[in-house]
Amino acid sequence: MPNLTKRYPIKARDYLKAGEVSIQIQGLLKIIGFAPDFIRRVSLCAYEAEMNVVMHGGDGELTLEVDTDRVDLDVRDAGPGIEDIGLALQEGYSTASEEAREMGFGAGMGLPNIQKNSDSLDIISEKGKGTEVKIGFIA
Amino acid sequence: MKLTEVKDILKAEITSGADKLEMVIQSGAGGDLMSDILRGSKEGVLVLSGLNNIQLIRTAVIAGASALVLVRGKKPDEEMKAQAHEHGLPLLTTPFTLFTACGRLFRAGLRGVDPKKNI
Ligand SMILES: Nc1ncnc2c1ncn2[C@@H]1O[C@H](COP(=O)(O)OP(=O)(O)OP(=O)(O)O)[C@@H](O)[C@H]1O
Ligand SMILES: [Mg+2]
């Protein structure tokens, strides 16, 4: 299977479209023919990361890289950044807005879910300088 | 348990995906927080929720849910139905609360996806 790289823009606070990128990725991985459980892990992490850009970040981009034996996601946004990454990774920690909470977000479980379902997670962020979340999966 | 049994037990109305009533449901998960639903689910799970918005449909699709039950009589809007249809996700509406709906299904033998069996 050939190497494939795809880029998807994500708009901050666009709750109507939020999640569409991850659903597209789920569909693409199905067509490529990865195992259902692997697809589930990747799309779940993509969704949590995409929602974080929509809820907390600024306009951004998700880059999907597909290889024979692995998939990598790079989700970056030009938002406010994360001041304390260790705290953000804790289960239950959330700064979600009232708007996001009303829709059912803000459990503070997104980053922990990513950690649990991926093979590697790297968060690069600085207050005021945006956020980059790199997530790796071994098929 | 078949989806048609779920429908009977929950006295539910099916608003999308009526052609899938013979599908077999292996487990259930319920919640009103998206990330909790994602954490407590696995491929083929039946998702029950008190939420009622387009994000819930996307969350269920991402979770690999077999079907989605809206509790307390919540009816999906046209866009939710369209999205659910596109992804082959049956939608049901039950008059029961989340607690009661889950309880009825559990009593009938459906179990959650807890990591440890028999707890
Ligand atoms: N892209 C981002 N930009 C800025 N802050 C972020 C970003 N992603 C996460 N955060 C911060 O990390 C916190 C924890 O994120 P996490 O995804 O675990 O929970 P949540 O998004 O608040 O709720 P949930 O994901 O359960 O709906 C967020 O509340 C937010 O403060
Ligand atoms: Mg989140």
Side-chain angles (χ1 to χ4, degrees):
Chain A
M1 188 218 313
N3 228 316
L4 172 83
T5 304
K6 271 178 105 73
R7 293 196 162 77
Y8 305 86
I10 303 171
K11 263 197 87 60
R13 256 57 83 200
D14 186 354
Y15 288 102
L16 271 179
K17 293 237 167 88
E20 276 185 358
V21 166
S22 305
I23 288 190
Q24 275 182 50
I25 289 173
Q26 185 184 43
L28 181 67
L29 297 179
K30 274 186 195 165
I31 293 168
I32 294 172
F34 282 105
D37 189 59
F38 182 75
I39 296 172
R40 186 172 185 284
R41 288 204 290 133
V42 176
S43 42
L44 193 155
C45 292
Y47 183 65
E48 293 285 14
E50 178 183 358
M51 288 312 309
N52 278 353
V53 173
V54 174
M55 283 193 277
H56 317 290
D59 289 351
E61 188 178 68
L62 184 153
T63 305
L64 168 77
E65 254 184 83
V66 182
D67 228 317
T68 328
D69 54 348
R70 63 175 298 131
V71 168
D72 288 278
L73 300 173
D74 183 310
V75 189
R76 51 175 85 203
D77 73 79
I82 303 176
E83 201 169 353
D84 185 341
I85 294 172
L87 189 60
L89 280 165
Q90 277 179 26
E91 292 192 1
Y93 176 80
S94 175
T95 62
S97 65
E98 201 48 48
E99 186 188 18
R101 284 178 200 274
E102 271 168 20
M103 277 180 267
F105 296 97
M109 291 299 284
L111 291 175
N113 276 355
I114 294 176
Q115 216 162 24
K116 187 171 172 256
N117 287 285
S118 62
D119 294 302
S120 67
L121 169 63
D122 219 346
I123 303 173
I124 305 145
S125 185
E126 219 179 299
K127 198 173 161 88
K129 294 202 174 154
T131 303
E132 180 177 7
V133 179
K134 296 181 183 189
I135 317 167
F137 307 86
I138 301 162
Chain B
M1 181 185 295
K2 283 187 179 174
L3 188 59
T4 182
E5 291 171 69
V6 169
K7 180 176 174 290
D8 290 346
I9 292 164
L10 297 181
K11 301 191 195 303
E13 176 191 330
I14 188 153
T15 54
S16 172
D19 54 320
K20 293 210 167 158
L21 283 167
E22 288 306 303
M23 168 203 301
V24 176
I25 307 290
Q26 307 283 3
S27 58
D32 287 348
L33 284 167
M34 304 292 183
S35 292
D36 275 347
I37 294 171
L38 289 169
R39 169 65 68 111
S41 63
K42 65 173 186 196
E43 199 69 33
V45 74
L46 175 77
V47 172
L48 296 93
S49 181
L51 295 167
N52 185 18
N53 56 37
I54 192 75
Q55 264 76 36
L56 178 65
I57 305 288
R58 296 206 180 105
T59 299
V61 170
I62 290 289
S66 52
L68 175 62
V69 179
L70 307 179
V71 303
R72 274 189 281 117
K74 292 182 177 166
K75 295 273 170 63
D77 64 23
E78 289 309 315
E79 199 187 339
M80 289 171 69
K81 280 196 236 176
Q83 281 259 341
H85 180 75
E86 187 185 331
H87 295 286
L89 179 76
L91 288 183
L92 292 90
T93 293
T94 176
F96 297 112
T97 62
L98 182 58
F99 179 85
T100 304
C102 292
R104 290 177 76 97
L105 293 174
F106 192 93
R107 184 177 60 190
L110 191 70
R111 292 294 176 264
V113 289
D114 306 279
K116 290 195 198 93
K117 269 196 181 145
N118 308 320
I119 46 170

